[in-house]
Amino acid sequence: MTGDRKPAVCVLGTGLIGGSVLRAAVAAGYEAWGFNRSEPGVRAARADGFDVSADIGAVLGRAADRDALIVIGVPQPALDTVLSDVRSFAPACPLTDVTSVKKPVLDAVHRHELGAHFVGGHPMAGTSESGWAASTPDLFKGAAWAISVDPGVHADPWTRVARLALDCGAVVVPVLSAEHDSAVARISHLPHVLAEALAIQGAGGGALALGLAAGSFRDGTRVAATAPALVRAICEPNADALLEVLDDTLRVLTAARDSLRDTDSLAQLTEAGHDARNDYDTFRRWAIEGIRPGDHDWLAKLAEAGRRGGVIEALE
Amino acid sequence: MTGDRKPAVCVLGTGLIGGSVLRAAVAAGYEAWGFNRSEPGVRAARADGFDVSADIGAVLGRAADRDALIVIGVPQPALDTVLSDVRSFAPACPLTDVTSVKKPVLDAVHRHELGAHFVGGHPMAGTSESGWAASTPDLFKGAAWAISVDPGVHADPWTRVARLALDCGAVVVPVLSAEHDSAVARISHLPHVLAEALAIQGAGGGALALGLAAGSFRDGTRVAATAPALVRAICEPNADALLEVLDDTLRVLTAARDSLRDTDSLAQLTEAGHDARNDYDTFRRWAIEGIRPGDHDWLAKLAEAGRRGGVIEALE
């Protein structure tokens, strides 16, 4: 930080998530500004009183000048372009992202030789809408915000990212990138895949089926209303982890099908499913305390705590 | 009906659905009473001021005396016992049910030689809770209530059942039993199966996955909180239709898996799923008019209208 200036945050990509980070950062007292590629996106943000521009050089020049924490909020396909720009204009700034997959982003960051100041992030929040218009400063209140504790992460940028997440109202889940990607394949990407498949079966029953549909179908297909391009941008970069989970899901569903066909029973599926949902309903986060960024073995200790459901609610 | 008495309704099984029918019927001015097998269930209903007894002979004797419409609200496994009792004590009463599957109930009714006065029914409403305590007179407000128009159904009992459904605040979807079972396999039973499978994958990711889970996982697994015995009682009697839909779901998911593995793309799945959810979001019921129960070909005409999304909102 430079002198007594407030911490600075520079958000690249002001859609639903990036836009909400910008709003939440400003609300928390940060000096914050942003970049958006599209002129309508820039105009919408400026109309709401936010400092957003389509001039990436100027936006990142200011970030370098102010030692801003740069938050990458562009979709995965635009990542390489944005990383090139960061490398050109602000290579020494602390850097994070809010993308739904972590290992491919980490690999890209290393390709662009930006690994030294990078700490991956992923706030677990969203809606089926998208764009600046859907953004809100309260999006992250009470949400989990995954922050990478991969080997090699430095304490200074890590603390900057964690503080921003906490100031946005979230709790911090420390996680290895690869473990994050496996977990979100299970609880975020698979729900999308199954919602699409369920919607297809419902509509396949025509007007009669859609007319009889009630709460279980409505809730089970809710995320199928998300734009296909957005679902693909979320799921496809996590193909390896998603394939593993999808294969296992096919095994579970095939076993249930065989059991229903051969023994008229769904006992095993329904009991395992009910137990699993009960695990979710009774899961409680617990507060990680006493592990300070930079302490001996802090990354491994935080990774272990996060794996067991621990979250950081405050920085000492 | 006997003289100027109000129409009478006798509900057998006062759990969530049967109990809600009893409450809604009383609220609508019917003379209504019920049977429950369990003494705690009886006590709970009586404590709320409802006329419920565990004496099936007395309950059905009164139904025979008052020409009551008998509503079977017991779970599928208890069906045969209850039908034996109806055959013994009130074989000439109009008879309906509120079970989630229609063809197996129809077959059972014929086995008990009660087909002449029977009209199958299925209100599309529920919660993940069960029992009298969860019942409410408003459960059916705005809901679809499927009513059978199978060949051989008589106009008089059909009209009694349809009037009760409308008086409970529902709209009537006329449907053939076999087509009903195929439709609910798609929009009610498959959602249960997929929710169980999703819950299993989420819990398989341990505390980390459950701690990162947000809205898509919560909504996609909601009905996995339903008691396994209840899910089985709903799904297993519809095994034939559910197997067909489950096989097709496995084909869709396998194709998506192959596409993701071989071409890194979920394009086909996400576009078809989004279109399907859009069909659901834009589906609008329309009012069937001008087909009177008992008119020439009324059953076939109603079946055809129901198939195209038509509902009955009032009886002429």
Side-chain angles (χ1 to χ4, degrees):
Chain A
M1 240 89 37
T2 322
D4 58 357
R5 278 173 180 161
K6 278 185 281 185
V9 168
C10 168
V11 180
L12 307 180
T14 52
L16 169 64
I17 305 294
S20 295
V21 172
L22 180 58
R23 288 179 185 273
V26 167
Y30 286 79
E31 178 194 352
W33 65 97
F35 158 81
N36 199 283
R37 194 171 55 98
S38 92
E39 276 298 342
V42 168
R43 276 197 301 273
R46 296 186 74 89
D48 287 343
F50 291 85
D51 185 354
V52 173
S53 148
D55 181 346
I56 187 73
V59 165
L60 284 172
R62 181 172 165 195
D65 180 49
R66 308 284 172 94
D67 184 35
L69 171 62
I70 298 174
V71 180
I72 298 177
V74 300
Q76 174 83 359
L79 185 64
D80 265 312
T81 307
V82 161
L83 288 174
S84 288
D85 293 330
V86 172
R87 176 79 186 147
S88 302
F89 296 109
C93 283
L95 181 65
T96 188
D97 73 310
V98 290
T99 318
S100 60
V101 67
K102 299 275 56 73
K103 191 68 173 59
V105 173
L106 183 66
D107 294 343
V109 163
H110 281 294
R111 278 199 309 276
H112 289 269
E113 298 178 353
L114 289 164
H117 310 289
F118 176 70
V119 182
H122 180 206
M124 304 303 297
T127 72
S128 63
E129 293 161 88
S130 59
W132 171 266
S135 68
T136 144
D138 296 330
L139 188 65
F140 311 111
K141 290 251 189 299
W145 191 313
I147 300 185
S148 151
V149 285
D150 291 315
V153 159
H154 293 290
D156 282 354
W158 198 91
T159 305
R160 293 276 298 267
V161 177
R163 198 174 299 282
L164 175 66
L166 296 171
D167 287 340
C168 288
V171 295
V172 171
V173 177
V175 64
L176 295 174
S177 288
E179 293 183 3
H180 166 277
D181 291 355
S182 293
V184 297
R186 292 175 183 273
I187 52 83
S188 171
H189 304 167
L190 182 63
H192 276 285
V193 169
L194 294 183
E196 310 280 12
L198 178 56
I200 290 167
Q201 293 303 331
L208 178 62
L210 295 178
L212 292 175
S216 65
F217 183 79
R218 183 189 60 235
D219 288 356
T221 60
R222 183 177 60 80
V223 293
T226 311
L230 189 54
V231 178
R232 295 180 61 190
I234 290 170
C235 294
E236 291 172 358
N238 199 25
D240 289 349
L242 180 53
L243 280 169
E244 204 168 305
V245 171
L246 199 42
D247 277 334
D248 198 56
T249 304
L250 284 166
R251 276 191 291 273
V252 167
L253 289 174
T254 302
R257 191 268 317 267
D258 293 350
S259 169
L260 184 62
R261 185 192 55 201
D262 301 338
T263 69
D264 283 327
S265 172
L266 287 173
Q268 207 181 343
L269 177 79
T270 54
E271 278 155 30
H274 185 260
D275 287 351
R277 168 73 196 199
N278 190 55
D279 285 353
Y280 169 69
D281 283 331
T282 56
F283 172 81
R284 294 290 173 270
R285 295 165 176 163
W286 54 273
I288 301 170
E289 278 162 4
I291 307 173
R292 234 177 13 203
D295 282 357
H296 175 70
D297 223 17
W298 69 284
L299 289 168
K301 284 179 184 163
L302 283 181
E304 201 271 332
R307 202 177 288 131
R308 292 188 294 109
V311 300
I312 296 167
E313 294 174 347
L315 291 172
E316 285 155 37
Chain B
M1 245 82 43
T2 322
D4 57 358
R5 280 172 177 159
K6 275 186 280 182
V9 169
C10 168
V11 180
L12 306 180
T14 51
L16 169 65
I17 306 293
S20 297
V21 172
L22 180 58
R23 287 179 186 273
V26 167
Y30 286 79
E31 179 194 351
W33 66 97
F35 159 80
N36 199 283
R37 195 171 52 99
S38 91
E39 276 300 339
V42 167
R43 277 197 301 272
R46 294 186 75 90
D48 287 345
F50 289 86
D51 186 354
V52 173
S53 150
D55 181 345
I56 186 74
V59 165
L60 284 172
R62 180 172 167 195
D65 180 51
R66 309 284 172 92
D67 185 35
L69 170 61
I70 298 174
V71 180
I72 298 177
V74 299
Q76 174 82 1
L79 186 64
D80 265 310
T81 307
V82 160
L83 287 174
S84 287
D85 292 331
V86 172
R87 176 77 187 150
S88 301
F89 296 109
C93 283
L95 182 65
T96 188
D97 74 308
V98 290
T99 318
S100 59
V101 66
K102 300 274 57 71
K103 192 67 172 58
V105 173
L106 184 65
D107 294 343
V109 163
H110 280 295
R111 279 199 307 277
H112 288 269
E113 298 180 351
L114 289 163
H117 310 289
F118 177 71
V119 182
H122 181 206
M124 305 303 298
T127 71
S128 62
E129 293 162 89
S130 58
W132 171 266
S135 68
T136 144
D138 296 330
L139 189 65
F140 311 111
K141 292 248 189 299
W145 191 313
I147 300 185
S148 150
V149 287
D150 292 315
V153 160
H154 293 291
D156 282 354
W158 198 91
T159 305
R160 293 276 295 270
V161 178
R163 197 174 300 283
L164 176 64
L166 296 171
D167 287 340
C168 289
V171 297
V172 171
V173 177
V175 63
L176 295 174
S177 288
E179 293 183 2
H180 165 277
D181 291 355
S182 294
V184 296
R186 294 174 182 275
I187 53 82
S188 171
H189 304 168
L190 183 63
H192 276 284
V193 169
L194 295 183
E196 310 280 12
L198 178 57
I200 289 167
Q201 293 303 330
L208 177 63
L210 295 178
L212 292 174
S216 65
F217 183 78
R218 185 189 60 234
D219 288 357
T221 60
R222 183 178 59 80
V223 292
T226 310
L230 189 55
V231 178
R232 295 180 61 190
I234 290 169
C235 293
E236 290 173 359
N238 199 25
D240 289 350
L242 180 53
L243 281 169
E244 204 168 305
V245 171
L246 198 43
D247 277 333
D248 199 55
T249 304
L250 285 166
R251 277 191 290 274
V252 167
L253 289 174
T254 303
R257 191 268 319 265
D258 293 350
S259 169
L260 184 61
R261 184 190 57 202
D262 301 337
T263 68
D264 282 326
S265 171
L266 286 173
Q268 207 179 345
L269 177 79
T270 55
E271 277 155 30
H274 185 262
D275 286 352
R277 168 75 196 199
N278 191 54
D279 286 352
Y280 170 68
D281 284 331
T282 56
F283 172 80
R284 293 291 173 268
R285 294 165 174 162
W286 54 272
I288 301 170
E289 277 163 3
I291 306 174
R292 230 172 19 196
D295 282 357
H296 175 71
D297 224 16
W298 68 284
L299 289 168
K301 284 180 183 161
L302 283 181
E304 201 271 332
R307 203 176 288 131
R308 290 189 294 108
V311 299
I312 296 169
E313 295 172 346
L315 290 172
E316 284 153 36

